[in-house]
Amino acid sequence: MFCSYRKAEAYNVSFTMRAILKRRYAAPPSLSRRRFSWSALASRNEPESPSSSFLIEEFTRCCYQRELPTAMRAMDAMQRRGIWANSITYSELIKCCLAGGAVEQGKLVHKHILSNGYQPKTFLINVLISMYVRFGLLEEARKVFDLMPERDVVSWTTMIAAYSNAKLDNMAREFLILMLREGLRPNMFTYSSVLRACVELWIIRQLHCSIIKVGLESDVFVRSALIDIYARLGELQNALGVFNEMATGDLVVWNSIIGGFAQNSIGDEALNLFRKMKMAGFVANQSTLTSVLRACTGLVLLELGRQVHVHILKFDHDLIVNNALLDMYCKCGSLEDANTVFTRMKEKDVISWSTMITGLAQSGFSQDALELFKFMKVSGPRPNDITILGVLFACSHAGLVEDGWYYFRSMKQLFGIDPTREHYGCIIDLLGRAGKLDEAVNLIHEMKCEPDAVTWRALLGACRVHRNVDLAVYAAKQILKLDPADPGTYIMLSNIYANAQRWADVAEVRRSMKAIGVRKEPGCSWIEVSKQIHAFTMRDNSHPQMDAIIRHLSELIQRLKEEGYIPDTNFVLQD
């Protein structure tokens, strides 16, 4: 009986509270019965005008329900009466403007907030600054910032982040200095933003010291930003030092250090860190797997890449992960897997198409690459400079001189793309392979940009194939002007002299190399067999199965000779 009474009492209390809340938060009777005519009010001829409380209530409702046109009319009526809503409501209206890309409406909100001597809170002015930043109107944001009677750390950090994102690095660093002079202490977001605006190592080290002084070195955002910027400058030991300073409990920091090594083509260490992360109990996310795929791509580890692919299937993988997966399969030479990934991608951007076209071209499927490019022009996104580079590469390897010339000459007209050094290098390689050395030289001299060492190397390689010694010497001298310590150029020039039986010139090149201390690193190749890497260095016979390998190679060579193969000994360059 007692229990039943208590239950009934609790039910009555609950019912009563629901009724009170319903009456309190329900729309006013006048609002639920009819909509007020804002256009009539704006004309000042409305015989019945709403009360100020009703006006603010209707304005608030429109802001929270994202009814931008109605909210703007209500705001206009409020301004005529000289009344304002609270800062939170205005921030909701600004969110509504941002969601709809309504720049002009956002400016009207700004004008209303600062009209008739109204003094908004610092919070609301910060929201205005952020609005202009997100609209890309940095000058407008700066004007609002300069007129602020009082600035807090959010004000300064918003401007610093805006300048950093806009690549105005000097302004970002200058604002940090001004902020410190005003006696404000930067927070983790301030340092994370300003670190992205640093390209000089000495500035980063100064900021690192400042971070340690204020005790923010253990913050996840700051540590991640430090690791990222050190890795971007190739200072991987410094990045690893930041990572090892303390035990981390956050996946973001692990992703930063793994990504840093992967981006610097130190894939083995990136994979080692990935293994340590898993042993520490962290579960990889899409960012982790993207970096691991990049490491597998750099090391050409197909089997490990396939294992990562299995992990990716557990997630709703996005476009970035799919592109990394596609790039890995293309770089590892597994075009069948790459085509499967490409076909199943629900969303493809220009990177997806360009990766597949370039992958086909690099693997010798030039005609397939060109067919895919034709299909892209019909149903895919607009090609970019990387796409055209892949197309030129395909033409070069297939010997399609006319097609290559056509795409090169018309890339500006058809796609609005200006040729870069990479495009020139590719077409020069195409002409060189076809033996059109004079045209290649003329094209180099016609380049709008200054040719770099890579451009001249393409010509030098063609001279070696077609045995044009004089032009090879000219190209080699141009390379050594740009890169005096390039061992490949010395070796190739030596080989060209040797092929022409000019042994005195060979000796002179070798003496020049010895005089300046240039030494060519021995060639190395590796292959993955049964999930194990087998590496082979020139003149290194230390592999435990070397005898069996040599025996099998001899059998293959013998079978090739039986089929009619005649070895080309022109490049056996000995006196």
Side-chain angles (χ1 to χ4, degrees):
M1 180 68 181
F2 179 76
C3 292
S4 300
Y5 172 77
R6 299 297 293 174
K7 288 181 180 178
E9 184 182 38
Y11 175 79
N12 289 334
V13 171
S14 176
F15 180 81
T16 304
M17 288 301 296
R18 286 200 299 270
I20 292 172
L21 292 171
K22 184 176 181 180
R23 286 198 302 272
R24 182 173 182 180
Y25 292 102
S30 59
L31 181 60
S32 61
R33 286 194 297 269
R34 66 182 179 87
R35 294 280 180 178
F36 197 84
S37 175
W38 299 110
S39 58
L41 179 64
S43 66
R44 294 182 178 271
N45 294 323
E46 177 69 17
E48 179 189 351
S49 56
S51 64
S52 296
S53 60
F54 172 83
L55 200 54
I56 294 175
E57 184 178 335
E58 174 70 357
F59 173 68
T60 303
R61 182 192 67 78
C62 294
C63 292
Y64 277 91
Q65 293 183 6
R66 299 291 190 264
E67 297 178 5
L68 182 59
T70 311
M72 295 302 294
R73 289 194 292 270
M75 186 187 75
D76 181 63
M78 288 166 55
Q79 184 163 340
R80 291 178 185 276
R81 290 195 178 190
I83 57 177
W84 288 268
N86 59 48
S87 297
I88 302 297
T89 304
Y90 286 122
S91 70
E92 290 297 323
L93 179 57
I94 291 171
K95 289 179 185 176
C96 189
C97 293
L98 286 168
V103 180
E104 294 304 319
Q105 286 83 344
K107 290 181 178 179
L108 289 175
V109 175
H110 176 199
K111 182 180 178 181
H112 166 69
I113 290 172
L114 298 180
S115 64
N116 298 327
Y118 181 69
Q119 295 294 328
K121 295 181 179 179
T122 303
F123 154 75
L124 186 53
I125 302 180
N126 288 338
V127 174
L128 281 172
I129 295 173
S130 179
M131 177 193 74
Y132 282 122
V133 167
R134 290 181 62 180
F135 281 139
L137 303 173
L138 287 187
E139 290 185 7
E140 298 292 335
R142 176 66 185 270
K143 290 177 183 177
V144 177
F145 178 85
D146 288 340
L147 293 174
M148 289 181 74
E150 182 181 352
R151 306 181 186 103
D152 59 10
V153 65
V154 177
S155 316
W156 287 98
T157 301
T158 303
M159 291 303 301
I160 290 171
Y163 284 126
S164 180
N165 291 333
K167 306 301 181 185
L168 299 172
D169 298 343
N170 291 334
M171 291 299 297
R173 295 196 296 267
E174 181 182 331
F175 262 58
L176 176 67
I177 295 170
L178 293 173
M179 177 184 180
L180 293 169
R181 286 176 181 172
E182 284 205 1
L184 285 172
R185 175 177 172 177
N187 62 17
M188 66 285 291
F189 302 111
T190 318
Y191 281 116
S192 300
S193 299
V194 80
L195 279 168
R196 296 198 306 269
C198 297
V199 292
E200 295 91 354
L201 185 59
W202 66 273
I203 295 178
I204 296 169
R205 285 174 174 163
Q206 285 187 346
L207 282 172
H208 194 172
C209 293
S210 178
I211 289 166
I212 294 171
K213 286 179 182 178
V214 298
L216 286 174
E217 71 275 10
S218 60
D219 180 80
V220 170
F221 294 103
V222 176
R223 290 182 70 198
S224 179
L226 275 170
I227 291 171
D228 287 340
I229 190 63
Y230 276 132
R232 194 173 72 188
L233 295 180
E235 296 288 330
L236 293 176
Q237 289 306 312
N238 284 326
L240 196 59
V242 174
F243 176 78
N244 289 330
E245 280 177 1
M246 61 189 68
T248 179
D250 198 284
L251 184 61
V252 174
V253 181
W254 279 103
N255 286 343
S256 294
I257 192 65
I258 293 172
F261 277 94
Q263 289 168 6
N264 282 273
S265 302
I266 307 181
D268 50 353
E269 184 60 29
L271 295 175
N272 184 41
L273 286 164
F274 176 58
R275 283 189 287 268
K276 289 182 179 179
M277 188 194 87
K278 291 176 65 178
M279 291 174 62
F282 289 90
V283 178
N285 62 11
Q286 294 193 34
S287 177
T288 320
L289 297 174
T290 302
S291 297
V292 173
L293 280 172
R294 186 177 285 115
C296 294
T297 303
L299 295 172
V300 200
L301 299 178
L302 179 59
E303 289 303 318
L304 185 56
R306 284 176 173 154
Q307 292 179 34
V308 177
H309 190 176
V310 173
H311 282 285
I312 291 173
L313 294 175
K314 301 175 184 177
F315 299 91
D316 293 329
H317 34 106
D318 58 13
L319 182 61
I320 295 175
V321 176
N322 278 332
N323 283 340
L325 192 61
L326 183 64
D327 185 54
M328 184 273 296
Y329 279 129
C330 285
K331 295 285 178 60
C332 291
S334 182
L335 270 298
E336 185 177 348
D337 288 325
N339 186 58
T340 301
V341 172
F342 182 78
T343 305
R344 293 180 179 177
M345 288 174 67
K346 296 179 181 178
E347 179 187 3
K348 301 183 184 76
D349 63 359
V350 66
I351 297 175
S352 317
W353 288 88
S354 302
T355 301
M356 194 67 204
I357 289 170
T358 305
L360 288 166
Q362 289 176 336
S363 297
F365 299 97
S366 297
Q367 292 296 341
D368 293 324
L370 296 175
E371 287 297 321
L372 185 60
F373 177 61
K374 292 178 182 177
F375 186 64
M376 177 186 180
K377 289 191 291 183
V378 175
S379 61
R382 185 180 179 86
N384 64 6
D385 55 331
I386 304 299
T387 318
I388 303 302
L389 197 62
V391 170
L392 294 177
F393 192 87
C395 293
S396 176
H397 280 246
L400 303 174
V401 179
E402 295 301 324
D403 290 340
W405 263 119
Y406 168 74
Y407 287 121
F408 179 76
R409 294 295 189 190
S410 60
M411 58 190 290
K412 174 64 175 178
Q413 180 182 355
L414 294 178
F415 311 111
I417 302 169
D418 290 312
T420 63
R421 288 190 182 91
E422 289 77 13
H423 296 103
Y424 278 105
C426 216
I427 199 71
I428 288 165
D429 180 65
L430 169 61
L431 294 171
R433 286 171 181 263
K436 300 179 181 292
L437 298 181
D438 291 337
E439 292 183 37
V441 174
N442 292 334
L443 182 61
I444 291 177
H445 292 308
E446 292 174 5
M447 287 176 63
K448 295 180 180 179
C449 49
E450 194 69 24
D452 60 358
V454 177
T455 309
W456 289 108
R457 284 192 192 103
L459 179 63
L460 180 60
C463 292
R464 179 189 179 188
V465 172
H466 297 285
R467 303 180 187 179
N468 190 323
V469 180
D470 294 334
L471 189 55
V473 173
Y474 172 70
K477 287 181 179 179
Q478 300 302 317
I479 296 171
L480 295 176
K481 285 180 183 178
L482 298 168
D483 188 2
D486 177 34
T489 300
Y490 285 104
I491 296 299
M492 188 170 290
L493 184 59
S494 173
N495 291 344
I496 290 170
Y497 280 139
N499 196 40
Q501 307 293 310
R502 291 169 58 171
W503 304 111
D505 291 324
V506 171
E508 180 60 30
V509 171
R510 297 289 178 172
R511 279 195 296 270
S512 299
M513 289 180 65
K514 188 175 182 180
I516 62 175
V518 174
R519 182 179 179 184
K520 186 179 183 301
E521 293 294 325
C524 179
S525 61
W526 62 89
I527 188 171
E528 182 182 7
V529 180
S530 300
K531 300 180 183 180
Q532 186 177 0
I533 305 298
H534 298 263
F536 301 90
T537 304
M538 187 176 179
R539 295 175 182 170
D540 179 15
N541 296 322
S542 61
H543 193 281
Q545 297 174 279
M546 184 56 69
D547 292 339
I549 291 170
I550 293 174
R551 192 182 316 116
H552 188 64
L553 283 174
S554 300
E555 293 173 359
L556 289 174
I557 293 171
Q558 184 60 37
R559 289 175 58 186
L560 287 169
K561 289 181 177 180
E562 291 173 359
E563 294 293 331
Y565 169 71
I566 300 174
D568 183 2
T569 59
N570 286 323
F571 295 111
V572 181
L573 307 174
Q574 302 259 343
D575 185 357

